[in-house]
Amino acid sequence: MSWPPIAWQTKLGRRVAVVIVLVLAACAPAPVARDITPPAMPPAESMEPAVRAQFGERRALLDRVLDDPEATDADVAWALGQLGRLFHAYRHLDQAQWCYAEAARLDPDMFEWSYLLGHLELVIGDADSARERFEHARSLRPEQPEPLTLLGRLARESGAFDRAEAHLSEALEHDEENALARYELALTELASGRAADAIERLRRLLEEQPDAFQLLHSLAEALRSVGRSEEARSILESIPASAIDRVSLISADPWMERLTALPVSVTAMQRRGRQALMAGRLPAAMRAFRKSEAVAPERRDVRFNLATALFQAGRGDEAESHLRYVIEHFPDFDGAHRLLGRHLLRSDPEAAKALLDQALALDDSIENHLALGDWALVVDDPVTAVGHYRNALAGTPRSEDAHVALVRALALDGDHDAAEHALAEAFDVLPAKRASTYLAPKPNRLTWMAVRFEATTAPQAARQPRRLPSQPRTPFELETAAMVRAAEGDFETALMLQRRALADYPHPAGDERLARYRTGRPAASPFAPTDRIRVSSRRAVAPSRNR
Amino acid sequence: MPRQSSFFTIAPAAFALLTALACSGGRPDQGSTRQAVLIERTETAGIDFVHENGGRGDFYYVEIIGSGGALLDFDGDGDLDLYAVQGAVLGTHDAGARGNMPRDRFFRNESSRTESSSTERQRNATSSLRFVDATDAIGLDQRGYGMGVATGDFNNDGWVDLYLTQLGANILLRNVQGKHFEDVTAQAGDGALAGRGMSTSAAFVDLDGDGWLDLYVVDYLRYDLASDKACFDMVGLREYCGPQSYAPARDSLFRNRGDGTFETITTSAGIDRDGAGLGVVTGDFDGDGRIDIYVANDQAPNHLWMNAGDFTFVEEAMIRGSAVDGQGRAEASMGVDAVDLDHDGDLDLHMTHLISETNTLYRNDGDGYFEDVSLQTLLGTQSLRWTGFGCAFFDLDRNGWLDLVVANGAVRADPTLRSDGDPFPYREPNLLFLNDGGQGWTEVGHTMPAFGPLHVSRGVTPGDLDNDGDLDLLVFNNRGRLQVFENPLRTANPWIGLSLIDRHGRDALGAKVTLRGSTGKLTRWLRTTSGFLAARDPRLLIGLEPVGLTPSVEVVWPTGEVETWSALMSDRYHRLVEGTGDPGAQEGRP
């Protein structure tokens, strides 16, 4: 016996079909009504348009998903997570935490929500919860070093050094170059009494990131912990005050990088631009500042920072219009007078002098004295320059910029004794190791200047082959290295180095030195008016506006 | 050999408890086993001071910083009077008639002061804290934009004087025999004594042991209203700027010439570094007998000016491990206090910081070198969520271990409060940490109804307002009312109170006291600076539990003289006058 075939067109058939559909529908993962009330949005009317659009877009996405009967939990989690990331990026932490937590609850298999939530909880001091989030994230993506590194940090901070080391070692198995994991491992070694290992690890990291103050500080602490206090002191004292805390350890974290790239407000763009400027990434800085200018062309910091980036990029004429705008609308801001004055130094010294005088009248600051000193050198008046540099030093005795400028001005004035005396004073105040010891942990401009003096005013002392303070990179350092080699009689190397320097920065005094090396003569003097010594770009940037 | 310290060597179980308490993002939900004890008495005590920060929508930077106040015995009647520092209306906004303009206020303490009545109060759980507004009565008419205040008898006439820090010129007020204050700024020093810009905290301290109080003034930024800048938050809303929008200022040091006038010695003393300073604390950090100066700088490395003698100082914070945190990051330091937290006889340091930074606890190794141990305690982890300003260690429960109050208040608007329509969305909860006998901390502020309403708190100062043998508390709130908290302590824990009076008849600021008993030793230092912009009770109130009932009391006077007292009765205040104790070993000054 067999069942009669069901004819779909019959009444019975239609009934059976309806039942099947209903059963299937009942078995399918049907959307359920979700009791989700998203956090309040920032007041839209006060936000910048671009930010408002960002929030509106992500909120609309969430609303659409919540209204969509076909949307799955993962869909809702995704939309919540995106909104959470935006809140996180704009530092609305309570709102971000709520969004991430909901997203992680609805889609526990998504690495990103747990990881970002752990990050956020770490920042607000909820270490236990953060640990759980990172453990979960690690279980989802065991190959990622980031959660392991943070688990290691948490373990170290709680005194569980063995566990910390295990986490960090595992992180390094996945990414042996991971700077943060290596740094954390060094701190763990230090905390667990293995200072020698920590010192070695920190030294290796410093070779890769020589400007990271965090590393220098930790190295000094490690040295101190084993009684090598003088070395520690030497390291700490060699760091210019301006550099402290400016350059942190750089370690890649793609999730956090994506997060920090999200904000588009003027404040965010300004921050991004400043960071780029300090890192010497001028095109990126200009891009960020131009975006700010498009939104807030009336803001002083926006126009000034853009001008600074343009000026440093050699586009002084473009910078000038922005500076003139700032001077017109914010006449009490000395920075614009100073920068415009610097721009006009050579093309219109008279106008430059007026601007720089005005800047000094507005603020009797080291920067303005330095600028006036530079102007005096341009008009071939080293005596006046020396006066300004001394004024700058009187106000800020530990300014490396001012010491460098003073030594150079005295040398240009032909008073090498005074210049060397000033250099000695600089080393007293900024006790980086003297050039002759070549032990400066991070050679600064003063060290290189001292090398120049040794190579030119005491050539006999330089006859012995010398180790340079570090690999020469800038034109100033390359030319200094050339002077040393020429003083040693190695003119072939000196010529090579001098050519490299001139390729980056052609100038008459450099050409003259090249000619001397060709004929087997060492450099005649340590400095010439056209020598360009690196000026700290940090000073040119408008300060951070917000905490 | 490493020194053993019960406080910093936390047993695993105790650490587990601490970390458990640290969860929930700041304010733990778990019930505390320790009872919080402070009760707000502001209204019944007669205090009606409301701080005017000048905020009218202009976001002047100065609005968000102040303010503080002082506890001092102005009239020499044995109880603590109150000086409250006021802000002002700023810019072009109409301040109204002069009579209605905000001004500093002085409240005279009229609380009952007898032993029996205080005992009765404890029994009846009532309060007799009473203050009356005596601003007019003493002819006080200070209407500048005030920030903080330091207390000290600079002219050795036996009456405690005030140094007021302000936006603009600072003011030295001489206490004229407990009758009124007289502005003697111009007579007592050169123009630098008044200063300019934006001073914050200040400290009277005898730096050379000559018996005359010198003065250290913390200057914050090169700022005035004309230089104020417009800043915006991440979404483009107006917001207060940060300190890096302005150039940091240099602090000032004034030497007392020995006749009540001051000589500016900032440069000759070697104070040659700028820093956006907010808090200051003085003490002998390296145990060499000289008083050093520690300055908490905002978003810049802190300064530790080591006293090299002859009024010369060398900045050594970086080398000594207290300039930046344990990972080399300069933090936004605000308030600072220094006490012997682990009972090893040296000064440890605690600083308050911005949200997302720990409040930082530096452990002193005894030689003036510090280690950041913040993350090993609840003090660090619990603070990450808030922005701390004032802080003060005091023995709230009189068990001989110092507790800690932290006054919080944001400098960036809280998005949630702003969304809720809060007109001043910077409020945060204050924190009160009880010291669990050196084994850890318990935060009890969240259990206290009195700490429930949120404020934007700044200065905080403890003192025994009703002379009942326990420490009460004042909290100064920005754009809010000054709060008075009474400590209705009901414990039999023995205590001793000490007034340390030098040969000139004034509080011997800088004196070091060591109590030695059958069960241990306690060390305290006398100073009146209190964390941030505030001045505290000039007496020491010490719980005796760790040392036993009748300890010997050794005082090292600022001159270096050492004296001891024995068999002092517990549970009462004693007035120890220099020259009346048993001579001890001479410490002297190197």
Side-chain angles (χ1 to χ4, degrees):
Chain A
M1 185 182 167
S2 62
W3 289 98
I6 296 174
W8 296 109
Q9 62 276 31
T10 67
K11 194 174 176 182
L12 175 63
R14 280 198 297 273
R15 283 180 181 168
V16 169
V18 167
V19 169
I20 291 169
V21 167
L22 287 174
V23 169
L24 286 175
C27 296
V32 289
R34 294 184 177 89
D35 186 18
I36 289 175
T37 308
M41 307 295 282
E45 69 281 2
S46 319
M47 281 191 284
E48 289 172 19
V51 182
R52 186 163 58 230
Q54 260 186 321
F55 272 102
E57 194 179 292
R58 296 202 178 202
R59 177 58 193 262
L61 169 68
L62 177 62
D63 289 342
R64 272 201 309 278
V65 173
L66 288 174
D67 288 343
D68 181 358
E70 301 297 320
T72 64
D73 280 353
D75 295 333
V76 177
W78 176 256
L80 276 167
Q82 294 306 322
L83 186 59
R85 289 177 71 234
L86 202 59
F87 276 126
H88 196 173
Y90 284 104
R91 297 182 184 168
H92 292 207
L93 299 186
D94 288 343
Q95 291 83 346
Q97 187 179 21
W98 186 89
C99 288
Y100 288 151
E102 280 296 294
R105 181 179 66 79
L106 291 168
D107 188 1
D109 292 337
M110 184 74 176
F111 171 90
E112 190 164 4
W113 312 142
S114 288
Y115 180 68
L116 290 174
L117 182 54
H119 240 289
L120 192 153
E121 288 169 341
L122 205 56
V123 167
I124 61 175
D126 197 347
D128 280 358
S129 190
R131 190 178 295 113
E132 282 177 28
R133 308 291 181 188
F134 293 139
E135 289 284 11
H136 183 66
R138 174 202 184 191
S139 72
L140 296 172
R141 304 272 295 265
E143 78 285 4
Q144 291 299 142
E146 290 81 8
L148 283 162
T149 303
L150 293 169
L151 281 168
R153 172 183 152 184
L154 283 165
R156 175 181 61 78
E157 288 173 352
S158 66
F161 302 132
D162 289 346
R163 198 166 72 232
E165 190 158 345
H167 285 312
L168 295 165
S169 299
E170 192 181 336
L172 290 172
E173 282 171 21
H174 299 302
D175 176 9
E176 63 180 4
E177 298 300 316
N178 190 292
L180 187 60
R182 291 158 66 199
Y183 177 61
E184 285 293 339
L185 190 53
L187 295 185
T188 305
E189 288 163 344
L190 185 60
S192 54
R194 289 155 48 206
D197 292 342
I199 290 167
E200 180 56 30
R201 198 176 296 281
L202 289 167
R203 281 201 193 281
R204 283 204 301 270
L205 267 169
L206 266 169
E207 283 169 13
E208 296 163 26
Q209 300 192 36
D211 292 328
F213 172 74
Q214 231 174 332
L215 296 174
L216 286 167
H217 180 267
S218 295
L219 178 60
E221 290 287 302
L223 290 167
R224 207 183 72 183
S225 75
V226 292
R228 294 161 66 179
S229 300
E230 282 311 306
E231 283 176 79
R233 184 179 284 263
S234 166
I235 287 173
L236 293 171
E237 287 184 338
S238 71
I239 305 166
S242 59
I244 292 174
D245 207 37
R246 292 298 166 105
V247 186
S248 299
L249 181 74
I250 298 166
S251 188
D253 181 334
W255 289 277
M256 292 309 288
E257 281 164 18
R258 279 204 292 273
L259 197 72
T260 51
L262 267 179
V264 294
S265 61
V266 172
T267 301
M269 285 298 154
Q270 288 291 295
R271 183 169 300 157
R272 214 168 289 161
R274 282 195 302 269
Q275 285 168 349
L277 201 55
M278 287 188 184
R281 294 182 283 112
L282 293 177
M286 283 188 286
R287 269 199 307 278
F289 291 141
R290 283 199 196 285
K291 282 183 184 170
S292 303
E293 191 212 358
V295 179
E298 76 290 352
R299 273 176 57 170
R300 189 188 88 180
D301 58 332
V302 166
R303 300 293 284 261
F304 179 70
N305 283 341
L306 178 55
T308 302
L310 289 165
F311 180 73
Q312 288 194 13
R315 294 157 69 170
D317 290 342
E318 282 179 73
E320 183 171 341
S321 65
H322 296 288
L323 293 170
R324 293 210 180 276
Y325 173 89
V326 175
I327 289 171
E328 182 185 347
H329 292 86
F330 305 94
D332 293 340
F333 177 45
D334 66 306
H337 290 88
R338 182 175 63 246
L339 193 56
L340 188 54
R342 280 194 175 282
H343 169 57
L344 299 175
L345 269 186
R346 292 178 195 282
S347 61
D348 189 349
E350 202 172 321
K353 175 73 163 49
L355 284 158
L356 296 174
D357 281 341
Q358 177 64 16
L360 188 68
L362 289 166
D363 191 355
D364 184 21
S365 69
I366 174 175
E367 291 88 353
N368 292 329
H369 278 295
L370 288 175
L372 273 163
D374 293 352
W375 171 86
L377 286 184
V378 166
V379 298
D380 202 18
D381 181 2
V383 175
T384 301
V386 165
H388 279 295
Y389 297 146
R390 287 203 191 282
N391 280 337
L393 272 177
T396 315
R398 290 176 55 83
S399 164
E400 188 185 325
D401 285 345
H403 281 292
V404 166
L406 177 62
V407 172
R408 177 169 170 256
L410 288 166
L412 289 175
D413 196 24
D415 192 346
H416 286 183
D417 287 346
E420 289 197 75
H421 182 69
L423 191 61
E425 280 186 347
F427 281 123
D428 286 343
V429 180
L430 299 166
K433 292 287 184 184
R434 283 177 178 278
S436 55
T437 67
Y438 293 97
L439 283 175
K442 185 174 175 300
N444 56 27
R445 289 170 292 166
L446 289 167
T447 317
W448 283 101
M449 292 182 93
V451 172
R452 281 194 173 213
F453 274 108
E454 283 200 7
T456 52
T457 62
Q460 295 306 318
R463 281 286 173 199
Q464 299 300 318
R466 307 300 299 264
R467 193 162 73 89
L468 294 168
S470 68
Q471 186 68 26
R473 285 181 293 192
T474 65
F476 181 78
E477 292 168 1
L478 286 163
E479 287 206 37
T480 307
M483 288 178 183
V484 171
R485 298 305 170 225
E488 292 167 4
D490 180 1
F491 292 101
E492 194 177 331
T493 308
L495 276 168
M496 182 269 292
L497 289 164
Q498 187 66 25
R499 283 195 191 102
R500 276 176 58 197
L502 287 170
D504 280 349
Y505 174 55
H507 65 118
D511 291 336
E512 190 184 316
R513 285 178 193 131
L514 193 70
R516 290 180 69 89
Y517 302 155
R518 279 200 187 108
T519 56
R521 290 175 298 157
S525 64
F527 300 104
T530 55
D531 278 332
R532 189 170 65 183
I533 305 174
R534 176 174 57 83
V535 173
S536 170
S537 61
R538 287 174 191 127
R539 288 198 180 282
V541 186
S544 159
R545 306 302 304 263
N546 291 321
R547 287 167 188 270
Chain B
M1 179 180 145
R3 295 184 312 170
Q4 292 302 310
S5 155
S6 58
F7 176 79
F8 293 104
T9 313
I10 300 171
F15 195 87
L17 172 66
L18 292 181
T19 47
L21 282 165
C23 73
S24 309
R27 308 223 92 188
D29 294 323
Q30 298 92 328
S32 166
T33 54
R34 305 284 298 275
Q35 290 302 305
V37 286
L38 292 174
I39 297 170
E40 182 167 1
R41 300 288 194 199
T42 309
E43 203 173 318
T44 57
I47 303 294
D48 60 351
F49 178 85
V50 179
H51 179 251
E52 164 67 77
N53 76 350
R56 302 287 189 275
D58 298 302
F59 290 86
Y60 286 117
Y61 184 51
V62 68
E63 292 171 12
I64 199 70
I65 304 299
S67 65
L71 286 172
L72 71 158
D73 184 2
F74 167 74
D75 45 13
D77 63 353
D79 58 24
L80 293 170
D81 307 304
L82 165 60
Y83 190 100
V85 176
Q86 183 58 285
V89 176
L90 293 169
T92 56
H93 295 285
D94 184 11
R98 181 171 175 82
N100 297 327
M101 284 164 61
R103 58 175 172 160
D104 292 1
R105 301 266 298 276
F106 175 78
F107 295 90
R108 195 188 299 277
N109 193 336
E110 296 290 343
S111 307
S112 169
R113 292 182 295 277
T114 63
E115 283 287 323
S116 58
S117 67
S118 66
T119 308
E120 187 181 343
R121 277 202 308 282
Q122 288 186 25
R123 242 190 343 261
N124 298 334
T126 60
S127 170
S128 67
L129 276 182
R130 296 284 183 274
F131 288 86
V132 293
D133 184 347
T135 311
D136 289 330
I138 66 164
L140 182 69
D141 191 28
Q142 291 299 329
R143 296 176 194 267
Y145 197 102
M147 301 297 290
V149 55
T151 56
D153 177 10
F154 76 90
N155 55 355
N156 282 349
D157 66 353
W159 300 94
V160 62
D161 311 296
L162 300 180
Y163 184 78
L164 304 176
T165 57
Q166 303 201 122
L167 174 65
N170 301 324
I171 294 170
L172 180 67
L173 290 180
R174 182 169 75 92
N175 180 342
V176 183
Q177 298 186 320
K179 308 293 185 202
H180 64 274
F181 286 112
E182 180 188 6
D183 182 346
V184 294
T185 320
Q187 300 96 297
D190 55 23
L193 186 60
R196 62 194 174 99
M198 190 173 175
S199 301
T200 48
S201 296
F204 282 108
V205 55
D206 181 3
L207 290 168
D208 59 346
D210 68 347
W212 293 83
L213 290 173
D214 310 299
L215 176 64
Y216 190 90
V217 180
V218 180
D219 287 316
Y220 186 37
L221 301 170
R222 287 159 60 180
Y223 172 88
D224 56 26
L225 292 186
S227 66
D228 197 82
K229 296 174 181 173
C231 290
F232 301 84
D233 74 0
M234 287 288 282
V235 299
L237 299 177
R238 272 303 298 271
E239 185 54 282
Y240 291 107
C241 294
Q244 292 185 345
S245 292
Y246 305 95
R250 185 165 304 173
D251 300 342
S252 302
L253 180 59
F254 303 96
R255 183 181 75 87
N256 194 321
R257 293 191 181 99
D259 58 1
T261 65
F262 292 94
E263 173 192 3
T264 307
I265 58 165
T266 308
T267 304
S268 65
I271 309 293
D272 63 356
R273 296 194 188 185
D274 298 342
L278 286 174
V280 63
V281 67
T282 57
D284 180 7
F285 292 101
D286 58 352
D288 68 351
R290 300 188 187 108
I291 295 182
D292 313 301
I293 301 165
Y294 187 90
V295 182
N297 290 324
D298 193 359
Q299 292 194 17
N302 301 313
H303 290 154
L304 175 54
W305 295 104
M306 300 304 293
N307 189 338
D310 296 328
F311 279 112
T312 57
F313 292 82
V314 182
E315 205 291 297
E316 295 200 335
M318 189 65 76
I319 287 150
R320 290 177 178 271
S322 58
V324 293
D325 75 359
Q327 296 202 23
R329 295 170 298 208
E331 299 179 295
S333 299
M334 319 282 195
V336 58
D337 202 0
V339 294
D340 178 15
L341 209 47
D342 47 358
H343 292 192
D344 64 353
D346 57 35
L347 282 166
D348 308 302
L349 278 164
H350 176 268
M351 252 153 291
T352 54
H353 291 127
L354 198 63
I355 186 170
S356 302
E357 298 174 347
T358 64
N359 287 349
T360 302
L361 180 60
Y362 293 101
R363 175 184 169 270
N364 190 336
D365 72 352
D367 294 325
Y369 287 84
F370 294 87
E371 180 189 3
D372 177 356
V373 294
S374 314
L375 289 166
Q376 296 167 30
T377 78
L378 198 69
L379 302 186
T381 55
Q382 191 87 73
S383 64
L384 279 162
R385 187 136 206 188
W386 318 114
T387 295
F389 276 85
C391 64
F393 285 104
F394 68 122
D395 190 357
L396 179 70
D397 51 7
R398 225 169 52 201
N399 68 350
W401 293 87
L402 289 167
D403 310 301
L404 173 68
V405 62
V406 176
N408 290 322
V411 291
R412 268 202 304 261
D414 180 294
T416 306
L417 292 178
R418 186 157 58 190
S419 295
D420 292 346
D422 189 325
F424 195 48
Y426 299 87
R427 302 168 211 279
E428 292 183 341
N430 293 327
L431 301 173
L432 184 58
F433 295 95
L434 293 185
N435 188 330
D436 298 328
Q439 297 302 308
W441 301 87
T442 305
E443 202 285 312
V444 296
H446 71 287
T447 67
M448 294 194 335
F451 270 27
L454 303 187
H455 296 275
V456 182
S457 299
R458 292 295 181 251
V460 60
T461 182
D464 186 358
L465 299 179
D466 45 8
N467 284 342
D468 64 349
D470 57 45
L471 288 168
D472 312 295
L473 195 66
L474 294 184
V475 177
F476 299 88
N477 295 312
N478 184 298
R479 195 170 158 176
R481 61 196 170 83
L482 188 165
Q483 292 177 287
V484 179
F485 296 96
E486 185 184 6
N487 182 356
L489 193 63
R490 293 183 190 82
T491 172
N493 290 350
W495 60 279
I496 195 167
L498 301 174
S499 284
L500 305 176
I501 307 299
D502 76 356
R503 291 177 192 278
H504 300 280
R506 64 164 173 80
D507 295 312
L509 305 185
K512 175 185 175 185
V513 176
T514 305
L515 274 62
R516 291 187 178 85
S518 53
T519 54
K521 181 179 93 162
L522 283 176
T523 310
R524 298 280 191 271
W525 284 260
L526 181 64
R527 72 174 85 83
T528 53
T529 52
S530 183
F532 176 70
L533 306 182
R536 63 192 288 166
D537 191 337
R539 299 166 297 181
L540 295 172
L541 195 153
I542 306 169
L544 293 176
E545 211 171 67
V547 292
L549 267 182
T550 52
S552 72
V553 177
E554 178 191 274
V555 179
V556 182
W557 300 98
T559 54
E561 300 280 336
V562 183
E563 291 178 292
T564 57
W565 280 262
S566 54
L568 294 176
M569 301 265 297
S570 63
D571 297 342
R572 65 188 56 198
Y573 283 102
H574 297 272
R575 184 179 161 91
L576 307 186
V577 180
E578 185 176 9
T580 65
D582 298 326
Q586 183 84 13
E587 289 222 342
R589 283 172 175 266

